[in-house]
Amino acid sequence: MPEPSVSEAQAWAKPDQLNKPIGTITRGTTGVNRLRRSDRWLMHDDLVNARLSAAPEPLVVDLGYGASPWTTFELAARLRTVRPDVRMVGLEIDPDRVVPGRDGVTFARGGFELAGLRPVLVRAFNVLRQYPESAVPDAWSTILSAMAPDGLLVDGTCDELGRRCAWVLLDRTGPLSLTLAWDPFTVERPSDIAERLPKALIHRNVPGEPIHALLLAADRAYSHAAPLAPFGPRVRWRAAAEQLRAQGFPVREYRRRMRDCVLSVPWSVVAPRQ
């Protein structure tokens, strides 16, 4: 299996630093259950389930877990409902944040190079938010090249309480989808999630860009579904999502009962214009 090349590493480190973790220390902000919405999605996503179930070694990395490892333990527990023998490793570039392992979860120092591990799934939440948009493609490439060949990367962002989340799912072919998930009772309209878009999109929410068109259409559909508000925001959002599909947006349909409001589309729908 190919290892990350020196040229890829040099995008993140000077030559005399190539043996050190690749990346920059984050603020470390975290909190119990902050990433629950993305965790629930990962537990039920067909592609994630298939790749995790088929992996000879179900290794998962939580990259940049922050000042405390609660969300790493939570992800491990939730993914073990899919694959009980999941091996979870939390990586932090700051050595002071590396803590002793427990409950089948280990921790180590590492960055975008993944400390030499070959995971089938990497979650990197609130990591790339501090980088310039131009750095995102190289970060994605460096992480994916270090993973198992059929590995999946989840690059996401959320607010401090985890009420508003957005993430991109990628494999070695590139970005696959964008998903927005939010608390039905604390968000007034879908475009409120714009402030938490992943770094690859957050600066593209302007007229003429596909992500702006999607959020504008979602707001209009949600407004049009206002007569259903007495039945609750989940019912109202399901109706809005149906309207978006009728307008030609390939919004993913979920047949299971959803606790969150979720808007998921193929990456091609929101890919930034060059």
Side-chain angles (χ1 to χ4, degrees):
M1 298 180 183
E3 296 296 329
S5 67
V6 172
S7 62
E8 289 170 330
Q10 286 174 334
W12 297 100
K14 296 179 181 179
D16 61 346
Q17 296 175 323
L18 295 181
N19 293 325
K20 298 181 180 180
I22 301 171
T24 303
I25 296 174
T26 64
R27 291 187 304 159
T29 305
T30 187
V32 174
N33 225 18
R34 186 185 184 190
L35 304 183
R36 60 198 179 278
R37 302 188 196 285
S38 64
D39 286 358
R40 285 197 285 263
W41 187 85
L42 289 170
M43 289 168 59
H44 296 286
D45 182 74
D46 292 340
L47 181 58
V48 174
N49 275 236
R51 299 279 176 96
L52 196 59
S53 297
E57 183 183 5
L59 173 62
V60 179
V61 164
D62 188 16
L63 180 61
Y65 53 84
S68 60
W70 305 117
T71 53
T72 307
F73 289 120
E74 291 164 357
L75 179 61
R78 286 163 179 154
L79 290 182
R80 284 171 183 156
T81 65
V82 177
R83 177 100 184 238
D85 59 339
V86 158
R87 184 161 73 93
M88 176 68 66
V89 178
L91 292 181
E92 252 297 336
I93 199 168
D94 184 350
D96 293 336
R97 295 176 184 171
V98 178
V99 298
R102 63 177 174 84
D103 299 332
V105 179
T106 59
F107 298 92
R109 190 180 183 210
F112 296 135
E113 83 299 330
L114 304 182
L117 300 173
R118 305 289 284 178
V120 69
L121 177 65
V122 171
R123 180 181 70 180
F125 244 79
N126 301 308
V127 172
L128 292 179
R129 187 171 178 85
Q130 68 183 0
Y131 290 86
E133 181 185 350
S134 59
V136 171
D138 282 341
W140 284 349
S141 177
T142 301
I143 296 170
L144 287 164
S145 67
M147 297 177 65
D150 58 350
L152 294 170
L153 166 63
V154 181
D155 167 24
T157 306
C158 69
D159 66 3
E160 287 73 12
L161 297 179
R163 293 175 175 174
R164 305 175 182 192
C165 304
W167 59 87
V168 180
L169 182 70
L170 311 94
D171 66 10
R172 288 193 178 185
T173 67
L176 303 175
S177 63
L178 170 72
T179 301
L180 313 180
W182 62 92
D183 179 356
F185 299 98
T186 61
V187 172
E188 293 184 3
R189 58 184 182 177
S191 65
D192 289 348
I193 314 302
E195 64 184 23
R196 297 296 168 176
L197 286 170
K199 193 66 179 189
L201 291 174
I202 193 166
H203 301 302
R204 300 299 185 123
N205 186 29
V206 294
E209 287 285 349
I211 183 62
H212 183 269
L214 174 65
L215 292 176
L216 184 62
D219 280 355
R220 288 172 175 166
Y222 196 63
S223 178
H224 192 267
L228 295 174
F231 299 99
R234 295 186 183 95
V235 172
R236 181 180 175 184
W237 171 244
R238 284 198 291 270
E242 285 294 338
Q243 289 187 43
L244 287 173
R245 294 185 195 101
Q247 295 168 19
F249 289 94
V251 175
R252 180 174 174 180
E253 185 173 3
Y254 294 90
R255 300 188 182 281
R256 63 184 176 85
R257 189 175 182 85
M258 302 290 284
R259 188 179 306 180
D260 309 315
C261 288
V262 178
L263 170 58
S264 188
V265 295
W267 180 254
S268 58
V269 175
V270 295
R273 299 189 187 282
Q274 298 300 323

